[in-house]
Amino acid sequence: MIEQGGPVLVEGPVEIETPDGETVVSDRFMVALCVCRRSRRYPFCDTSHRRRVRSQDQDSQDRDSQDRG
């Protein structure tokens, strides 16, 4: 199952080979794999994708409202 903007959920257990050749194993019944590469536990998801990234437009709107207030 793929979550929009989130991890890929895979039925476990899983054995994953990372790009650098390391083999990572999880024996959990459901494993969340990181696709955004923000996770500190990569290749496993640590929910880092939930942190909002401020867009340039939002930053400029915030500055405008502070200048007016």
Side-chain angles (χ1 to χ4, degrees):
M1 181 166 85
I2 299 176
E3 299 274 331
Q4 179 68 19
V8 174
L9 300 177
V10 180
E11 287 187 36
V14 296
E15 185 173 302
I16 303 158
E17 185 174 332
T18 62
D20 64 358
E22 178 185 4
T23 299
V24 183
V25 177
S26 175
D27 60 357
R28 301 185 105 184
F29 70 93
M30 184 67 69
V31 180
L33 299 177
C34 176
V35 293
C36 71
R37 299 196 67 112
R38 293 180 190 159
S39 176
R40 291 184 181 162
R41 297 183 51 228
Y42 186 82
F44 302 110
C45 177
D46 68 0
T47 68
S48 293
H49 62 273
R50 292 182 184 167
R51 293 187 205 121
R52 291 188 174 187
V53 177
R54 296 179 66 113
S55 70
Q56 191 173 13
D57 291 338
Q58 183 65 40
D59 288 341
S60 64
Q61 287 174 2
D62 289 348
R63 282 192 297 268
D64 289 345
S65 66
Q66 288 174 353
D67 291 342
R68 292 181 197 152

